[in-house]
Amino acid sequence: MSKMTTAPSSVADPEPRDPAPVPTAQRQPVSKVGDRVFTGLATGSGIAILVVLALVALFLLWQGMPAITAPAEELPYGAFAGWVAPLVFGTVWAAFWALLMAVPVSIGIALFITHYAPRRLATGLGYVIDLLAAVPSVVFGLWGISVLAPAVQPTYDWLATNAGFIPLFAGPVSGTGRTIFTASIVLAVMILPIITALSRELFLQTPVLHEEAALALGATRWEMIRVAVIPYARPGLISASMLGLGRALGETMAVAMVLSVGGGFTFALFQSANPSTIAANIALSFPESYGLGVNQLIASGLVLFVITLAVNMFARWIVSRRKEFSGAN
């Protein structure tokens, strides 16, 4: 009888497998001291801006509410709504003309520097434009009084004589030239370097392939700028314009020095009776104010704060609508 022997069957243990690799998206980055410090500084800076903005709004509300709620007979400048309305009109009216003059000139200068001027000329011209931002507003005010106003007064006379039937050019013309339109010219010169510098950087960021493709299809230089450069930079140009508008709305000393104030509402640009602006009125009236007069001036500052905030929110809304059609995204 044959003995059948069977070899003991042994099941070998499977070899240990390496753990499944963690997807790259789930890997935690290595934290370093420098990264933590930079993250903390960036987060703290963003929070600090919001805190400062909230504190400014609370201060204006706290100090301005007594003048808003007080009876008209207790206020030194009269009823708040009727007193602040001409100031709001003058602020918006002067800033509107300043923006209308500054934006086309700024975009033209930026296009000349980036696409037309030789390199040496473009570099020098860029430095000169940037230096304008360092000039104090008092200097602009002195220039507006002593140089600009006497120079433009004959032009005002000619326009009132030949086009006085248009309400904007109606007389009588100011004999000194210190009108709201002169103040708008000064504001336009002051916001010119801001809009120009930002527009120049936007035009330089346009992809070269977009420009070369337009030129390769037979476009002229201006057609290339119109179809490739300006659409790409449009949201940024809107932001630059709104930044300049914020500077024009809040400018104080230059307007206070140049503008001859008469009060009230008027659309005439060349008359001596001009509406004042909120910032200029605060600077001129604050030294002599007391009691509710101070609260009334601070309340007008609250109105200016709301106007500036509304302008910036409107600009952000426009940019958010147009960013998908440009390089802003």
Side-chain angles (χ1 to χ4, degrees):
M1 190 173 175
S2 62
K3 185 184 289 186
M4 298 178 62
T5 60
T6 59
S9 61
S10 61
V11 179
D13 295 334
E15 296 181 357
R17 297 180 180 178
D18 294 334
V22 180
T24 305
Q26 299 179 2
R27 293 179 184 175
Q28 297 294 330
V30 179
S31 178
K32 296 182 180 180
V33 177
D35 295 336
R36 291 198 298 268
V37 171
F38 180 79
T39 302
L41 288 175
T43 306
S45 300
I47 295 175
I49 292 175
L50 297 177
V51 170
V52 170
L53 188 65
L55 291 176
V56 170
L58 289 175
F59 168 78
L60 293 174
L61 282 171
W62 176 46
Q63 294 291 332
M65 195 56 65
I68 298 175
T69 58
E73 57 272 11
E74 297 182 6
L75 296 174
Y77 302 114
F80 179 75
W83 169 75
V84 79
L87 299 177
V88 172
F89 170 76
T91 302
V92 176
W93 189 236
F96 166 76
W97 285 105
L99 199 68
L100 192 65
M101 290 182 282
V103 170
V105 176
S106 300
I107 294 177
I109 294 173
L111 287 174
F112 177 75
I113 291 175
T114 55
H115 290 85
Y116 288 94
R119 183 175 297 274
R120 285 187 177 181
L121 179 60
T123 303
L125 186 59
Y127 288 149
V128 172
I129 296 298
D130 293 339
L131 282 176
L132 283 176
V135 178
S137 59
V138 177
V139 176
F140 281 109
L142 293 174
W143 170 73
I145 292 175
S146 59
V147 178
L148 181 62
V152 297
Q153 201 276 334
T155 304
Y156 295 166
D157 278 331
W158 184 87
L159 285 173
T161 302
N162 296 275
F165 57 90
I166 301 175
L168 294 177
F169 306 145
V173 177
S174 171
T176 60
R178 295 173 58 182
T179 67
I180 195 167
F181 192 73
T182 305
S184 298
I185 296 174
V186 175
L187 289 176
V189 176
M190 295 181 68
I191 67 178
L192 189 72
I194 300 174
I195 304 176
T196 301
L198 294 176
S199 301
R200 180 184 61 201
E201 296 303 320
L202 290 168
F203 294 150
L204 289 175
Q205 292 177 6
T206 305
V208 180
L209 289 178
H210 292 188
E211 300 178 1
E212 292 179 348
L215 293 174
L217 291 174
T220 63
R221 184 177 297 184
W222 164 243
E223 291 173 340
M224 178 270 294
I225 292 172
R226 184 166 55 87
V227 301
V229 177
I230 293 180
Y232 182 88
R234 184 178 290 116
L237 293 177
I238 296 173
S239 300
S241 302
M242 293 302 104
L243 187 62
L245 178 60
R247 172 72 187 277
L249 289 172
E251 179 52 41
T252 305
M253 289 309 301
V255 178
M257 296 171 66
V258 173
L259 191 59
S260 176
V261 179
F265 293 89
T266 177
F267 289 94
L269 300 175
F270 305 148
Q271 296 180 3
S272 57
N274 302 280
S276 183
T277 64
I278 294 177
N281 182 72
I282 293 175
L284 294 175
S285 303
F286 193 84
E288 300 177 355
S289 299
Y290 60 91
L292 282 176
V294 176
N295 298 111
Q296 200 166 356
L297 293 176
I298 295 177
S300 67
L302 175 63
V303 174
L304 179 60
F305 180 84
V306 172
I307 293 173
T308 306
L309 187 63
V311 166
N312 282 277
M313 291 177 64
F314 179 70
R316 294 303 305 171
W317 177 71
I318 295 177
V319 171
S320 64
R321 288 189 59 196
R322 296 293 306 177
K323 67 181 181 180
E324 63 267 19
F325 301 107
S326 69
N329 54 347

